[in-house]
Amino acid sequence: MSRLTELLRQARKADRQLGEDLEKEIAALMKRRTFGLVFERHQPEAVELPGRAVRRGDKVRVLRPRGEVKPADDQLWRVQRIERGDDTRIAHLLELDADEPQSQAVETDDLVVVAEFNDRIYPGLVETGRVERGGDKPFHTVINAENFHALEMLTYTHRGAVDAIYIDPPYNTGAKDWKYNNNYVEADDDYRHSKWLAFMERRLEVARELLNPEDSVLIVTIDEKEYLRLGLLLEQMFPESRIQMVSSVISQKGSARGTGFSRCDEYIYFVLLGDATPASASTDMLNNRQTNRGDEVEWGRLTRNGANGRRTARPNLHYPIYFNMDGTFHSVGDSMPLEQKRSDVDVPPGTIAVFPTATDGTEMTWSLSQAKVQEYVSKGYIKFGSLRVDAPQPVRIYYLTSGYVRAADEGLIVREDSKSIRWVHTEAKGMHPMTVWNQASHNAAEGGTNLLKRLLPDRRFPFPKSLYAVEDALRFFVRGKPNAVVLDFFSGSGTTAHAVMRLNRQDGGNRVCISVTNNEVSAEEQKRLRKRGLRPEDPDWEALGICDYITKPRITAAVTGKSPNGEPIKGEYRFVDEFPMSEGFEENAAFFTLTYEAPLSIRHHRAFERIAPMLWLRAGSRGRIITDLGADGWDVAETYGVLEDLDRAGDFIDRIEAVESARMAFIVTDDDAAFQMVCRDLPSRVLPGRLYESYLQNFKLRGGR
């Protein structure tokens, strides 16, 4: 239920007539909203946090009994107090959002903590593994978390620092592809579309804070179920951006849509912020046209077209060009006033006057001034067609556009010989991509499902993206950014991180990908596990979650070149960069699980081990993580340092000066004067941060959203 619908229900319950009158007025108001995207902002989502210890004051749900498969009770309870026994902890609960709240006592083992999205959170990270083959390169990271809270965590580590976000959100097919408030959204849910929009809007609002406003891109893939609503949502949320939609063929066979056309493509929205523009490609992405070394340039027509090309729009660019009767160039005439007729022009003896004319005889203009035409003729930048006296424009005239003129000056195109005036490319030239892509490499079966089978032979994941499709989409925007930060907060099997590794291999880049996924178990698998008496947090249950069963093993296999059973991966990568998959990548990756911390523990420096990975992420995710300050009360790693004992500030400063790669220093103090004193002595290249003030303030402000 939306919040508005719930309030109307309560109003009708209290006063039936009042409720009906309010409903009519609201319906009339909604009809007047004819522009923009109108949807209901549903009550904040709630996410269960299995593994999080139950504390006094927590919101919780009571877990269904083991072995039970029927839907769980979504009622929320508040923990009033916890009673400790010999081997158990009993939580005394009070029902939330009830007119007459009930109370009950339940063992904490039968409870799961719940966080609603309007609750203030204080996140941490616990490392759960890593794979290292990249030397001193930065680490890709995989975060096991509900993605909204992971995005909030990243506002502390990467605000305004992300170069590209690539996401493949749930397509809202009604086939148990996503949950809202812990329940799968069914196809017959009347609020399915507005729930999906509310779900997406909350995440995109936070994601926007992470993107670099001066030059970044948001890439979102979607199918026909929600592409119209998504387009409107993006326009409303990113009004200053430039948005384009690409249609990409992902299956030449197509997928049947009942009595309709078979679907063979999906849609990709590109939201361009600041100066972001797509780089050229080796092909146009549709016809596979490409320009190779030795190919002739594409000449432009000197005659302008369209309404702005008419003589009346630019009279000074309407003038005659004279040709000898053998078709050779003679000279250029003067501009003609609008009232002057072409028949009144004095034509030099033995020549014919050629005016800019459309095929229907309409008087047009030339693209260049008389002086430019003379200059371009002398340099070979203009060529002429055959003389046809009876044609509306007896000689077709072609010229090198400004881009090709610059290319000629830079030696990127050369004149093949002095007789033919033929200009050719000295190197292969990039093409501007079309808005329709038809690439064999984007086939979801071959580049997605079959490729994933090679990496994880005994595991299945529904509908993985083609690795090469993700790679191509990102390449347009990170090709010239070797240190780009890429984020995917619907990472699924980990295709985006895999694509970033391939991009790094192609040009020696150090790009990093932050992948966020939860450890949700598929709907069918949940039924089987519940029948076995298992539930979330049990090791056998968690082992089959997306993050632990698919994402982490896939990225590990990609890096090492070995499947989870230790065998070399069979097959080769194709397209652009072909090599055996068993070679792996010279990359590093670290895996984390998001935790929920108590602010008092953080302020008293008792949660440093869980905050430590966030400091490492903020400093660039290179080298080791400082997890223990030891007896010295300070430590300096490759890219950052942490100082707790201000009496040892001198030693800390000396060390951070000696580590030239260090760029950040975190000082633990409640004393503003002491913090400023340390800051004054830091090298100018080192950016200071105050713990835990900057951290607590960041999430305190976010909690007031």
Side-chain angles (χ1 to χ4, degrees):
M1 282 291 185
S2 71
R3 179 61 175 159
L4 182 58
T5 305
E6 175 62 19
L7 290 173
L8 286 172
R9 186 189 67 80
Q10 294 178 16
R12 284 195 300 271
K13 186 177 180 181
D15 186 326
R16 183 180 182 83
Q17 187 59 49
L18 174 62
E20 291 177 354
D21 291 344
L22 285 172
E23 196 166 14
K24 289 179 182 178
E25 292 300 319
I26 291 172
L29 178 63
M30 295 296 286
K31 288 180 180 179
R32 293 201 295 270
R33 292 282 311 271
T34 56
F35 297 102
L37 184 64
V38 178
F39 64 98
E40 298 184 68
R41 270 70 178 181
H42 291 261
Q43 291 177 337
E45 298 169 60
V47 58
E48 294 184 352
L49 312 176
R52 155 80 150 72
V54 177
R55 305 168 182 150
R56 183 170 63 86
D58 281 342
K59 293 178 186 176
V60 296
R61 284 194 182 114
V62 179
L63 293 171
R64 70 186 82 183
R66 291 186 181 276
E68 189 174 291
V69 296
K70 67 179 183 180
D73 183 2
D74 287 336
Q75 178 59 48
L76 293 180
W77 302 78
R78 177 79 68 188
V79 178
Q80 300 295 102
R81 62 187 177 87
I82 295 178
E83 180 183 344
R84 300 179 184 275
D86 293 336
D87 298 317
T88 60
R89 298 169 72 234
I90 304 297
H92 292 263
L93 311 178
L94 184 67
E95 190 177 13
L96 290 176
D97 301 323
D99 294 335
E100 298 180 2
Q102 303 294 311
S103 62
Q104 63 174 319
V106 180
E107 287 191 21
T108 56
D109 288 346
D110 291 327
L111 300 175
V112 61
V113 178
V114 173
E116 290 188 288
F117 285 9
N118 56 357
D119 294 339
R120 187 174 296 164
I121 67 159
Y122 295 90
L125 294 172
V126 171
E127 184 173 344
T128 57
R130 61 174 53 199
V131 55
E132 298 181 71
R133 291 190 72 205
D136 62 355
K137 294 184 70 172
F139 281 71
H140 304 281
T141 55
V142 177
I143 301 172
N144 174 7
E146 200 295 318
N147 60 6
F148 180 84
H149 287 157
L151 287 169
E152 294 216 308
M153 183 274 293
L154 291 170
T155 62
Y156 180 68
T157 63
H158 285 82
R159 187 186 297 271
V162 173
D163 298 286
I165 293 178
Y166 182 102
I167 54 173
D168 180 36
Y171 284 4
N172 200 16
T173 63
K176 297 192 182 304
D177 57 342
W178 69 292
K179 283 185 173 183
Y180 193 90
N181 273 340
N182 201 48
N183 291 314
Y184 285 106
V185 178
E186 303 293 343
D188 58 355
D189 189 329
D190 291 340
Y191 292 97
R192 187 175 115 214
H193 296 295
S194 62
K195 284 180 179 178
W196 189 88
L197 286 166
F199 170 89
M200 289 298 298
E201 183 184 48
R202 292 181 184 123
R203 287 153 179 81
L204 290 172
E205 281 178 347
V206 189
R208 177 183 176 133
E209 298 179 41
L210 304 178
L211 287 165
N212 176 3
E214 296 181 358
D215 183 2
S216 63
V217 63
L218 166 67
I219 306 171
V220 190
T221 62
I222 199 69
D223 75 351
E224 75 272 26
K225 299 291 191 304
E226 296 290 359
Y227 83 100
L228 292 170
R229 297 176 185 85
L230 176 62
L232 286 171
L233 180 65
L234 292 173
E235 286 188 354
Q236 290 184 183
M237 297 191 68
F238 298 87
E240 77 288 4
S241 68
R242 290 161 289 124
I243 301 177
Q244 276 194 290
M245 189 183 78
V246 164
S247 179
S248 178
V249 176
I250 60 172
S251 171
Q252 279 70 29
K253 295 179 180 179
S255 176
R257 285 290 191 263
T259 58
F261 299 105
S262 291
R263 173 186 170 239
C264 67
D265 63 347
E266 68 179 5
Y267 307 112
I268 312 174
Y269 280 104
F270 291 88
V271 181
L272 311 182
L273 301 182
D275 296 330
T277 54
S280 59
S282 58
T283 77
D284 64 1
M285 301 297 287
L286 173 60
N287 304 300
N288 288 324
R289 291 189 302 114
Q290 51 189 323
T291 304
N292 298 314
R293 181 177 181 177
D295 289 350
E296 185 175 5
V297 302
E298 297 179 9
W299 292 83
R301 283 278 305 276
L302 190 65
T303 306
R304 293 173 61 87
N305 56 26
N308 289 333
R310 294 178 183 271
R311 178 182 179 183
T312 52
R314 292 179 173 82
N316 61 319
L317 290 180
H318 187 86
Y319 54 85
I321 298 178
Y322 303 112
F323 289 85
N324 299 310
M325 297 310 296
D326 62 359
T328 57
F329 173 77
H330 179 276
S331 59
V332 180
D334 297 327
S335 296
M336 301 167 54
L338 273 174
E339 63 273 9
Q340 184 179 5
K341 297 180 179 180
R342 289 183 290 182
S343 58
D344 295 337
V345 173
D346 292 328
V347 180
T351 69
I352 183 174
V354 175
F355 297 91
T357 309
T359 54
D360 63 358
T362 303
E363 293 183 331
M364 307 301 287
T365 57
W366 301 114
S367 297
L368 300 173
S369 66
Q370 296 99 315
K372 276 293 181 184
V373 169
Q374 291 282 12
E375 176 191 344
Y376 277 27
V377 168
S378 66
K379 292 182 176 180
Y381 293 171
I382 284 183
K383 71 174 184 176
F384 309 106
S386 302
L387 176 64
R388 294 176 53 198
V389 177
D390 57 342
Q393 184 177 307
V395 178
R396 294 292 185 188
I397 306 174
Y398 305 90
Y399 76 112
L400 295 185
T401 55
S402 58
Y404 280 127
V405 170
R406 288 194 299 272
D409 293 339
E410 297 170 5
L412 300 177
I413 63 172
V414 295
R415 189 170 176 177
E416 194 171 53
D417 59 65
S418 59
K419 297 179 181 178
S420 66
I421 310 183
R422 186 171 184 271
W423 289 83
V424 297
H425 294 275
T426 59
E427 300 292 341
K429 174 182 174 290
M431 306 287 290
H432 286 294
M434 301 284 192
T435 55
V436 176
W437 295 357
N438 187 12
Q439 300 290 303
S441 59
H442 294 191
N443 184 282
E446 183 59 34
T449 302
N450 293 343
L451 185 143
L452 190 58
K453 285 179 182 178
R454 297 188 186 98
L455 294 161
L456 308 175
D458 302 322
R459 308 182 187 194
R460 297 293 178 263
F461 180 80
F463 312 117
K465 310 296 291 185
S466 167
L467 171 64
Y468 311 108
V470 179
E471 179 183 323
D472 282 346
L474 288 171
R475 183 184 289 108
F476 288 121
F477 299 95
V478 302
R479 189 173 69 185
K481 298 179 179 179
N483 300 307
V485 176
V486 179
L487 169 64
D488 182 352
F489 53 90
F490 287 100
S491 69
S493 70
T495 306
T496 303
H498 199 162
V500 172
M501 293 179 197
R502 275 184 51 86
L503 291 170
N504 282 344
R505 188 182 191 275
Q506 290 160 24
D507 63 7
N510 288 319
R511 302 173 189 88
V512 296
C513 181
I514 302 170
S515 304
V516 179
T517 186
N518 59 33
N519 206 39
E520 187 72 45
V521 174
S522 69
E524 292 304 314
E525 193 67 55
Q526 285 187 34
K527 291 181 181 178
R528 289 191 287 269
L529 292 173
R530 291 192 187 282
K531 287 180 180 178
R532 290 172 51 194
L534 299 174
R535 60 190 185 190
E537 192 181 350
D538 291 339
D540 287 350
W541 177 293
E542 297 297 325
L544 296 177
I546 294 172
C547 186
D548 288 345
Y549 192 63
I550 300 292
T551 318
K552 289 163 61 175
R554 187 244 178 96
I555 292 174
T556 301
V559 172
T560 63
K562 296 180 180 180
S563 62
N565 60 15
E567 295 293 325
I569 298 171
K570 299 177 182 179
E572 294 190 348
Y573 290 110
R574 301 173 59 202
F575 312 106
V576 181
D577 190 16
E578 300 185 5
F579 62 97
M581 297 176 72
S582 59
E583 285 187 10
F585 295 93
E586 294 180 355
E587 299 282 346
N588 302 316
F591 310 116
F592 300 93
T593 295
L594 187 77
T595 65
Y596 296 80
E597 304 300 323
L600 189 61
S601 296
I602 294 167
R603 187 175 294 279
H604 290 171
H605 195 57
R606 295 200 299 267
F608 177 73
E609 189 174 352
R610 270 99 57 203
I611 304 300
M614 295 173 60
L615 307 182
W616 173 77
L617 274 173
R618 188 169 178 176
S621 65
R622 286 179 181 265
R624 66 184 176 89
I625 302 175
I626 300 173
T627 57
D628 186 357
L629 301 179
D632 292 334
W634 64 269
D635 195 2
V636 176
E638 289 83 349
T639 59
Y640 73 110
V642 182
L643 170 66
E644 178 197 10
D645 186 351
L646 268 62
D647 291 336
R648 305 294 298 275
D651 295 336
F652 176 76
I653 297 293
D654 290 343
R655 178 58 181 161
I656 209 165
E657 284 181 340
V659 180
E660 295 183 0
S661 57
R663 290 292 180 269
M664 294 199 72
F666 298 97
I667 296 96
V668 182
T669 179
D670 290 332
D671 189 330
D672 186 62
F675 173 70
Q676 296 297 334
M677 178 187 68
V678 177
C679 290
R680 285 194 296 269
D681 294 333
L682 287 171
S684 58
R685 60 179 162 79
V686 176
L687 180 68
R690 183 175 168 189
L691 294 179
Y692 290 93
E693 190 62 32
S694 62
Y695 171 95
L696 292 169
Q697 187 69 9
N698 181 81
F699 295 107
K700 182 178 180 181
L701 292 174
R702 293 215 58 78
R705 59 188 176 280

